[in-house]
Amino acid sequence: MGIISVENTDRLFWLGRYSERVFTTIRTFTHSYDTMIDAEEEGYRGFCESLDIPMIYSDREDFIRTYTFSASDPNSIMSNLLRAYDNAILLREEIGSEALAHIQLSIYAMEKAALSESPLIELQLVLDHIAAFWGTIDDTIDDEQIRSIIKAGKRVERIDLYARLGEFGDKLVREVRRLRGRLKKTCLSYSEEVISEIEEEVKRDAPDSRRILASVSTLFR
């Protein structure tokens, strides 16, 4: 196992976070798409509030197009995908060209979706390429520490998003358990006390999303 620089450790972690953010927000967005189309003019507000997205959109249609596809909106799905790509391109040697290619193909699918009148099919292709990226990471990277840093970022982001979206229960408990196991295989400096706090909170009958998010923000020293 080689020594991973501080800069690349950070890039690997955020590659995991950004790729997961794209995956889960697309999945949530597509599941809510018909409701947003059919709802009252400002029916998208609940979605924005749950993900702490500033209300910069002029109307429902502006939200659907801008939040999904605008590279100039820092909160958009496209912006997060481009951040994943920026990290991936700098990590070509660590993750390999095949993994990088799946991130590139995700961008092409997003660009195609932006031109479509029915973008959900192309958005599904983005999900497919992100899933293929994760599969390639497992299949082609021999260095367990590199894989574990990416996956730790993925789990942290998933816990954060699930808490914001109110997706509690066994699914969230499982993600925290998997994060704990993954962190032990990384070079990341984290607090065992905080991960225990998160684990205890998600097991409650009525978890407090604010407590979970606050703990996640202080997990790394």
Side-chain angles (χ1 to χ4, degrees):
M1 181 183 298
I3 297 174
I4 306 174
S5 69
V6 173
E7 292 81 4
N8 278 354
T9 297
D10 187 65
R11 289 173 185 138
L12 289 165
F13 181 77
W14 281 99
L15 174 58
R17 288 203 67 160
Y18 287 132
S19 58
E20 172 60 29
R21 190 175 301 174
V22 170
F23 187 87
T24 294
T25 51
I26 286 180
R27 189 184 60 182
T28 303
F29 179 82
T30 55
H31 286 174
S32 304
Y33 185 80
D34 289 339
T35 302
M36 290 181 190
I37 291 294
D38 296 335
E40 297 178 359
E41 183 63 24
E42 296 187 354
Y44 59 90
R45 283 185 177 273
F47 182 90
C48 292
E49 289 171 359
S50 65
L51 294 180
D52 199 24
I53 298 171
M55 289 300 301
I56 62 172
Y57 311 102
S58 59
D59 55 31
R60 179 181 54 197
E61 287 72 23
D62 180 42
F63 165 74
I64 290 173
R65 302 302 298 183
T66 302
Y67 170 71
T68 312
F69 302 116
S70 175
S72 62
D73 178 357
N75 297 291
S76 73
I77 296 172
M78 176 61 96
S79 289
N80 283 300
L81 181 55
L82 292 174
R83 291 186 190 107
Y85 176 75
D86 288 343
N87 282 285
I89 197 73
L90 293 171
L91 294 164
R92 181 192 295 267
E93 294 299 320
E94 286 76 14
I95 67 173
S97 58
E98 185 178 350
L100 173 60
H102 284 299
I103 300 295
Q104 291 173 315
L105 289 169
S106 298
I107 294 174
Y108 299 153
M110 283 290 290
E111 291 173 342
K112 185 177 180 181
L115 301 175
S116 174
E117 294 184 0
S118 302
L120 296 188
I121 293 176
E122 286 80 7
L123 288 176
Q124 181 59 52
L125 288 176
V126 179
L127 296 181
D128 292 344
H129 286 305
I130 295 294
F133 163 74
W134 290 332
T136 301
I137 292 298
D138 277 331
D139 192 50
T140 63
I141 297 179
D142 293 328
D143 191 319
E144 184 178 33
Q145 192 173 80
I146 289 176
R147 294 198 310 272
S148 293
I149 295 170
I150 296 172
K151 289 185 175 182
K154 173 183 176 180
R155 298 298 169 203
V156 167
E157 187 66 26
R158 186 168 288 185
I159 291 165
D160 182 285
L161 290 172
Y162 281 8
R164 293 179 186 277
L165 295 167
E167 296 189 24
F168 301 124
D170 292 342
K171 183 164 64 171
L172 185 54
V173 171
R174 178 172 178 264
E175 291 302 327
V176 176
R177 184 174 63 247
R178 295 174 77 179
L179 173 61
R180 180 189 283 278
R182 187 59 61 182
L183 286 172
K184 294 177 180 178
K185 300 176 182 180
T186 71
C187 56
L188 301 171
S189 178
Y190 66 96
S191 169
E192 277 285 350
E193 180 181 356
V194 172
I195 193 70
S196 295
E197 290 174 358
I198 298 171
E199 196 164 31
E200 290 177 9
E201 187 62 39
V202 300
K203 289 179 179 178
R204 295 181 187 276
D205 291 337
D208 187 329
S209 60
R210 293 171 299 179
R211 288 184 179 179
I212 297 170
L213 295 172
S215 294
V216 168
S217 70
T218 61
L219 177 58
F220 297 99
R221 298 167 178 167

